[in-house]
Amino acid sequence: MMSLTPSPTAILNSLCKEFLSVNVSAILYLMNYEKYGRSTASAQYFLQLANYLGIPVIAWNADNSGLERRASQSSLQLQLAPSLEHQTAAMLSILERYKWHQFSVVTSQIAGHDDFIQAVRERVTFMADRFKFNILNAVLVTKASDLIELVNSEARVMLLYATREEAIHIMTWAREKKITGENYVWIVTQSVIENHQDPPYSFPVGMLGVHFDTRTNSLVNEISTAIKVYAYGVEDYITDKDNANHSLNTHLSCEGAGESRWKAGDRFFKYLRNVSVEGEQGKPNVEFTADGVLKAAELKIMNLRPGVNNKPDWEEIGVWKSWMVKPGEQLDIKDIVWPGNSHTPPQGVPEKFHLKVTFLEEPPYISLAPPDPVSGKCNMNRGVICRVAKEADIENINIQEAHKNETFFQCCSGFCVDLLEKFAEELGFTYELVRVEDGKWGTLEEKNGKWNGLIADLVNRRTDMVMTALMINSEREAVVDFSVPFMETGIAIVVAKRTGIISPTAFLEPFDTASWMLVGVVAIQAATFTIFLFEWLSPSGFNMKATAPSPNHRFSLFRTYWLVWAVLFQAAVHVDSPRGFTARFMTNIWAMFAVVFLAIYTANLAAFMITREEFHEFSGIDDHRLSKPYSHKPVFRFGTIPFSHTDSTLKRYFKEMHNHMRKYNKSSVKAGVDSVVSGELDAFIYDGTVLDYLVAQDEDCRLLTVGSWYAKTGYGLAFSRNSKYVQMFNKRLLDFRENGDLERLRRYWMTGSCKPGKQEHKSSDPLALEQFLSAFLLLMSGILLAALLLFLEHIYFKYVRQHLAKSDQGGCCALISLSMGKSLTFRGAVFEAQDIIRHHRCRDPICDTHLWKVRHELDIAKYRIKQLEKEMEAHGLRPTKRFYFAASNLVNTHHVRSNVVVTNEFLPHLPCDSSFYRTEVAEIETVL
């Protein structure tokens, strides 16, 4: 026998002299001392020494039963007393019986309080498949203020683990905090009840607890059980032939002569752990788990009831048996006296309370609609009744009649109303929904330095909570408490789409710049020069080496360009085709390219030749066109709602912008958005999520939010300072966010009818002139370019042709352009003169006389030529026949068939061809 709190030296000497000297093979450690925490150190030290020496321990200790095993990590200990695991299992069985899903754990600084919390968590996880528990919090109490966390929580069921003396202080503080009343249930462990004699008055009636007998008689009975466990273990060990070489003599010594640890100790412990001792009648055998804990334990369920003279007394009301297979059969409880001497169990959840909730309408968060004029109620899909009139206006009015009057009450619906309903369902409270009287969001007024609107109601404690699209900012957080945000937002800009014109360069947009450069600079040029080169080099084409060109040849470089462009755009115009086979084949290849090119071009052109939607694409609030409004001409018109978060933010950070937009501010978001649609405003600035909702609701999809959000923040529930409801709502908000309820509400309320890319087909309006202006711009550009070419043509004929005719003796210019080559030849001059004569008309008699004189002289010349021919024939000379036109015939326009050059006469050598001379005579006569 040892004292209850021996010194470490005494424990060590006792082991060395009284245990090791007699070769003990197991230690029976039994104690019914329940001064929890006071003998823990010595007990831990003793058990750790036994584990170090390798000596098994068979224990039955009421003080922190099982905790020494956890703390010391002893692997050689058998515990005959019910462990903390058994106690936590019995306590949670009580919660399961009465459907109490949520609870809090309260502990003192008793040894092993962390192990108790861990045991509770492990048991909750084990029971998760059949019953869902929610541990609200775990509170370590050392002073009265530690219970504030419990007061502010929703806990109505508490599991208490502490010593008896610590529990007296905790329950006294709990009574002062009013958490021991009728709606609160406290369930305590064996360490609080102890021997259940003389419970203190500070313990509230209705307290429950788990208990096992720790009296001396029970201890004596457990001694016999411990001896049986040892005896059966020794018997099994000796009868096993494998242990013939492993003696039960430890041969341990503290003097250094023997071994420091018994090698067979672990082997012997396994036999002790596997024994099965007959139990009492009606109880299972005494057996152990792999951890050395009893498989079957029995705990009594105690209830603190009022006794004689209202003195509290612990009374056994049931029993918990761990060996029962079905969970429902483990707990057997009689009638219980519940807290407040009630005969019905508490609900285990917070009692209902009433809140006054203030709001300000802001679709889609809160929308207003008139109630049914007959019943005064709201339809199922139109929300709940809310008061919109001032409190003074309805003092002397019948409330039932007032519900039918929309000037006093309306129906509130929206995201926030659905969220409020969900809060009321989860937390169990009723509420009154009231509109803020001054209709303002809440800003600090410069004149008197006081808050207005929603924030003023909270500051002056005229309401319990504000729930609407109230943005969180530092100024408001300084005077009220906000919950965690339930929606992110920021300051955004909404603008209207306007039907714009088709881009002047729309016909060029099917291909990018590189593609057009490839077609215009590479493909067309390559095709032109290739066709021209093949025509030049082809044997059947135009041969530059020939002394005389073909009389009917009509091909040049410019005509090749004309051919290439005509084929490319499939123009129905007259073209001159090459004669060479290779050049013609290359022309067909180019035609195939043109077909593919035009197919791709026209297929994509329709996508670009459509009406473009134009809008003011601001980058954000800090766009210089908004932040410095007078830097842009004309000045943009934009506004917001006065006394809102947006207004106060712009006033603080963008003073010039705020001063400019005052005259454009609107009283409501709807008025501001309508002004943007009608063109009265260029932009409207407000909360991002609200504007996104309104944009989605626009069936015509005329609205658009532009730029990035500024001053990103969130919407939150607002409470008065130090409100007890903040943590309660915060926890539920986080749960709603985690389980997806917030996201489901957002999708339901934020979805609109405008869905870009999925709009219904609508009949097209007739196109205005500005919508296909690009075609006219293209035509105008062509006219201007043609005028420029006409000017260059005049410059050429007046100044350049004379000089070029002198230098172009070989006809190279005709190789490039037939028209240019014709203008440089004699025949070109002839036909130019023919054209002048053909189109000449006299305007006076003198001109007619002169013209008659010229014709008369030509007729005389003709007569003289005939006379000369006759004289030559008389002398035996036969002149060559010549064909010529009379001057009178040249004047008649119907004899002039064409002024187009049909041959190329560029060489100085004159061929012997009668047709050439006939033409030459006609040209001379014409010139004359």
Side-chain angles (χ1 to χ4, degrees):
M1 296 291 292
M2 297 178 62
S3 62
L4 291 176
T5 56
S7 65
T9 304
I11 295 173
L12 184 60
N13 290 334
S14 177
L15 276 174
C16 293
K17 296 178 180 180
E18 301 176 11
F19 291 86
L20 301 185
S21 61
V22 294
N23 289 325
V24 296
S25 56
I27 299 175
L28 305 183
Y29 181 81
L30 297 96
M31 182 186 68
N32 66 342
Y33 182 73
E34 292 192 270
K35 298 299 181 183
Y36 287 83
R38 298 183 181 178
S39 62
T40 301
S42 57
Q44 296 287 353
Y45 183 57
F46 178 79
L47 294 173
Q48 286 176 0
L49 284 176
N51 178 55
Y52 175 76
L53 295 171
I55 301 175
V57 176
I58 303 173
W60 191 98
N61 53 317
D63 183 6
N64 298 327
S65 57
L67 293 179
E68 290 81 1
R69 177 184 57 80
R70 280 176 175 268
S72 62
Q73 297 298 317
S74 173
S75 60
L76 302 178
Q77 179 183 344
L78 298 179
Q79 180 57 259
L80 292 171
S83 66
L84 268 183
E85 285 84 353
H86 292 130
Q87 296 186 50
T88 56
M91 298 168 85
L92 292 177
S93 295
I94 298 174
L95 270 65
E96 181 183 10
R97 179 186 178 93
Y98 294 102
K99 308 300 181 184
W100 295 332
H101 290 270
Q102 57 185 25
F103 63 93
S104 292
V105 180
V106 183
T107 67
S108 66
Q109 287 185 323
I110 182 175
H113 60 273
D114 290 332
D115 294 315
F116 175 76
I117 296 174
Q118 182 62 27
V120 172
R121 297 186 186 277
E122 290 176 358
R123 187 65 184 181
V124 166
T125 304
F126 176 78
M127 298 176 64
D129 292 337
R130 71 171 188 264
F131 195 83
K132 300 293 183 181
F133 285 107
N134 180 22
I135 304 176
L136 297 177
N137 44 26
V139 183
L140 177 64
V141 181
T142 58
K143 54 185 181 297
S145 60
D146 294 333
L147 290 174
I148 296 296
E149 182 180 354
L150 207 61
V151 173
N152 294 331
S153 71
E154 303 173 34
R156 297 298 180 267
V157 179
M158 275 70 70
L159 307 185
L160 175 63
Y161 177 64
T163 65
R164 180 186 174 97
E165 290 78 9
E166 291 169 336
I168 293 173
H169 294 295
I170 291 174
M171 298 313 300
T172 301
W173 296 333
R175 178 172 296 177
E176 294 174 356
K177 302 293 184 182
K178 298 181 180 180
I179 53 175
T180 59
E182 181 178 353
N183 296 309
Y184 294 85
V185 180
W186 291 79
I187 305 176
V188 299
T189 58
Q190 165 67 26
S191 60
V192 177
I193 299 176
E194 290 191 355
N195 57 14
H196 68 80
Q197 301 296 326
D198 300 323
Y201 284 95
S202 60
F203 286 5
V205 173
M207 179 180 284
L208 300 176
V210 293
H211 171 70
F212 60 90
D213 196 356
T214 59
R215 291 175 297 180
T216 304
N217 293 337
S218 299
L219 181 62
V220 173
N221 294 334
E222 296 299 332
I223 292 176
S224 62
T225 303
I227 293 175
K228 289 181 182 179
V229 170
Y230 176 73
Y232 290 173
V234 171
E235 181 181 0
D236 294 340
Y237 185 86
I238 293 175
T239 56
D240 192 344
K241 296 180 181 180
D242 294 337
N243 299 322
N245 298 325
H246 302 282
S247 173
L248 288 177
N249 293 324
T250 58
H251 301 292
L252 299 176
S253 173
C254 295
E255 305 300 330
E259 297 179 353
S260 60
R261 179 179 173 81
W262 184 26
K263 296 181 179 179
D266 294 327
R267 190 182 189 92
F268 180 49
F269 176 75
K270 294 179 181 180
Y271 287 89
L272 293 175
R273 188 181 60 192
N274 294 330
V275 301
S276 179
V277 180
E278 300 81 0
E280 298 178 7
Q281 186 177 2
K283 295 183 180 180
N285 293 345
V286 177
E287 296 176 348
F288 302 94
T289 66
D291 295 331
V293 179
L294 273 179
K295 287 185 178 180
E298 181 179 286
L299 290 170
K300 298 176 182 179
I301 307 300
M302 309 299 290
N303 180 213
L304 191 62
R305 299 175 177 235
V308 181
N309 298 325
N310 287 328
K311 183 180 180 181
D313 185 25
W314 287 108
E315 182 177 339
E316 181 181 344
I317 59 165
V319 64
W320 178 83
K321 301 174 182 179
S322 67
W323 63 83
M324 301 302 292
V325 177
K326 295 183 180 180
E329 298 176 354
Q330 290 181 332
L331 186 63
D332 182 18
I333 295 181
K334 306 173 185 178
D335 291 337
I336 298 177
V337 174
W338 296 103
N341 281 325
S342 174
H343 294 286
T344 57
Q347 296 296 320
V349 295
E351 61 280 1
K352 285 188 176 293
F353 53 95
H354 184 78
L355 293 179
K356 181 180 179 181
V357 182
T358 307
F359 74 93
L360 187 58
E361 65 274 11
E362 182 80 286
Y365 296 96
I366 294 184
S367 301
L368 296 178
D372 187 280
V374 178
S375 63
K377 297 181 179 180
C378 298
N379 295 333
M380 187 64 67
N381 59 345
R382 296 178 64 183
V384 298
I385 285 289
C386 53
R387 176 163 62 85
V388 296
K390 297 180 180 180
E391 188 172 358
D393 296 340
I394 61 171
E395 287 182 352
N396 301 322
I397 297 178
N398 188 316
I399 297 299
Q400 293 183 352
E401 293 298 325
H403 280 182
K404 302 176 184 180
N405 191 338
E406 62 182 72
T407 59
F408 297 114
F409 289 90
Q410 291 199 25
C411 294
C412 288
S413 61
F415 178 95
C416 287
V417 175
D418 284 358
L419 185 59
L420 183 61
E421 284 283 293
K422 195 163 185 64
F423 276 126
E425 180 183 353
E426 294 281 338
L427 300 177
F429 65 87
T430 57
Y431 61 88
E432 176 190 10
L433 204 53
V434 181
R435 186 181 187 274
V436 64
E437 294 187 355
D438 63 359
K440 297 179 181 179
W441 288 99
T443 55
L444 194 62
E445 297 182 352
E446 294 182 354
K447 296 180 180 179
N448 52 22
K450 295 182 179 180
W451 286 91
N452 58 26
L454 297 170
I455 303 300
D457 281 5
L458 290 173
V459 172
N460 299 323
R461 298 189 180 274
R462 293 194 293 264
T463 186
D464 298 310
M465 180 176 73
V466 168
M467 188 163 191
T468 183
L470 185 64
M471 296 182 75
I472 303 172
N473 60 32
S474 57
E475 289 183 345
R476 291 171 177 172
E477 283 185 310
V479 292
V480 299
D481 288 340
F482 278 98
S483 68
V484 294
F486 62 82
M487 185 77 70
E488 293 184 352
T489 187
I491 300 176
I493 308 169
V494 65
V495 297
K497 302 174 185 177
R498 302 186 307 277
T499 302
I501 64 174
I502 297 177
S503 173
T505 59
F507 66 95
L508 295 175
E509 294 180 8
F511 296 109
D512 58 8
T513 305
S515 299
W516 281 117
M517 294 292 291
L518 188 64
V519 172
V521 177
V522 178
I524 293 177
Q525 310 304 325
T528 301
F529 282 95
T530 304
I531 294 173
F532 180 72
L533 182 64
F534 288 165
E535 175 68 10
W536 182 11
L537 300 178
S538 175
S540 59
F542 175 67
N543 189 0
M544 288 295 294
K545 297 181 180 180
T547 56
S550 175
N552 298 323
H553 186 74
R554 300 166 59 84
F555 210 66
S556 67
L557 180 63
F558 280 8
R559 296 202 174 192
T560 308
Y561 271 111
W562 179 254
L563 172 66
V564 168
W565 281 98
V567 171
L568 178 62
F569 293 108
Q570 299 181 2
V573 296
H574 175 73
V575 293
D576 294 318
S577 300
R579 296 180 59 185
F581 171 78
T582 308
R584 291 186 180 224
F585 175 78
M586 186 61 205
T587 304
N588 290 330
I589 296 297
W590 172 250
M592 294 175 60
F593 170 83
V595 169
V596 176
F597 171 78
L598 284 180
I600 298 174
Y601 177 77
T602 54
N604 290 276
L605 183 62
F608 295 93
M609 296 294 291
I610 58 175
T611 303
R612 301 283 180 97
E613 290 181 338
E614 296 182 347
F615 55 88
H616 299 299
E617 193 169 358
F618 301 112
S619 61
I621 298 299
D622 50 359
D623 193 302
H624 72 280
R625 293 172 291 178
L626 298 178
S627 59
K628 299 182 182 301
Y630 299 105
S631 64
H632 182 272
K633 297 297 181 182
V635 177
F636 286 105
R637 301 161 298 170
F638 54 91
T640 186
I641 296 180
F643 305 107
S644 62
H645 167 77
T646 302
D647 183 67
S648 61
T649 302
L650 297 179
K651 182 178 180 180
R652 178 185 300 179
Y653 299 107
F654 301 94
K655 295 186 180 297
E656 182 182 356
M657 177 180 179
H658 182 265
N659 293 332
H660 166 72
M661 62 192 295
R662 280 182 178 177
K663 55 181 173 290
Y664 301 114
N665 285 344
K666 300 297 177 180
S667 58
S668 67
V669 182
K670 186 178 184 305
V673 172
D674 290 343
S675 298
V676 172
V677 173
S678 63
E680 181 183 347
L681 292 181
D682 297 314
F684 187 74
I685 304 172
Y686 200 62
D687 296 354
T689 57
V690 176
L691 295 182
D692 286 341
Y693 165 76
L694 294 176
V695 168
Q697 291 296 312
D698 183 22
E699 294 184 359
D700 297 329
C701 293
R702 295 168 298 175
L703 297 174
L704 179 71
T705 54
V706 294
S708 57
W709 285 1
Y710 182 80
K712 288 186 179 180
T713 179
Y715 297 132
L717 313 180
F719 302 87
S720 300
R721 295 291 287 179
N722 302 318
S723 173
K724 63 180 180 180
Y725 302 116
V726 177
Q727 292 186 2
M728 184 187 307
F729 280 85
N730 273 343
K731 186 180 184 306
R732 284 288 181 253
L733 265 179
L734 294 175
D735 292 341
F736 295 159
R737 181 178 298 171
E738 183 178 354
N739 60 29
D741 287 339
L742 281 179
E743 178 61 20
R744 282 189 287 272
L745 285 177
R746 188 194 69 80
R747 290 183 180 180
Y748 178 81
W749 285 105
M750 301 297 177
T751 304
S753 57
C754 175
K755 297 179 180 179
K758 297 183 180 180
Q759 302 181 38
E760 296 181 357
H761 177 72
K762 301 179 180 179
S763 59
S764 300
D765 296 329
L767 294 178
L769 175 62
E770 63 271 8
Q771 293 174 338
F772 58 98
L773 190 59
S774 59
F776 287 94
L777 291 178
L778 180 61
L779 178 60
M780 184 59 66
S781 300
I783 293 174
L784 294 177
L785 181 60
L788 177 63
L789 293 177
L790 178 62
F791 175 75
L792 294 177
E793 189 176 2
H794 278 279
I795 296 296
Y796 166 77
F797 276 96
K798 190 172 183 179
Y799 300 104
V800 179
R801 186 178 63 169
Q802 298 177 359
H803 301 285
L804 191 60
K806 299 177 181 179
S807 59
D808 185 44
Q809 299 298 327
C812 295
C813 290
L815 190 64
I816 299 174
S817 172
L818 288 177
S819 299
M820 183 185 297
K822 181 199 72 172
S823 67
L824 300 178
T825 62
F826 176 75
R827 177 166 292 279
V830 169
F831 280 98
E832 183 178 353
Q834 288 180 350
D835 190 62
I836 293 174
I837 295 174
R838 181 166 56 91
H839 292 91
H840 181 76
R841 295 290 184 273
C842 290
R843 297 181 181 179
D844 51 46
I846 297 176
C847 175
D848 289 335
T849 302
H850 180 70
L851 184 59
W852 178 85
K853 183 180 179 181
V854 171
R855 291 174 181 173
H856 181 68
E857 291 178 353
L858 288 176
D859 290 338
I860 293 175
K862 177 184 174 183
Y863 178 75
R864 181 59 181 165
I865 291 173
K866 288 181 179 181
Q867 286 183 342
L868 291 175
E869 288 178 350
K870 290 180 178 181
E871 291 180 359
M872 292 176 65
E873 290 177 357
H875 290 82
L877 297 175
R878 188 176 180 179
T880 304
K881 293 184 179 180
R882 298 175 181 267
F883 179 79
Y884 54 89
F885 293 100
S888 60
N889 294 335
L890 290 176
V891 177
N892 297 328
T893 58
H894 66 275
H895 288 290
V896 182
R897 299 293 181 181
S898 173
N899 62 347
V900 179
V901 176
V902 296
T903 59
N904 291 328
E905 300 177 7
F906 308 115
L907 298 177
H909 305 285
L910 300 178
C912 296
D913 188 4
S914 59
S915 61
F916 176 84
Y917 288 105
R918 289 196 298 269
T919 306
E920 187 67 22
V921 171
E923 290 175 354
I924 294 173
E925 292 176 346
T926 302
V927 173
L928 293 177

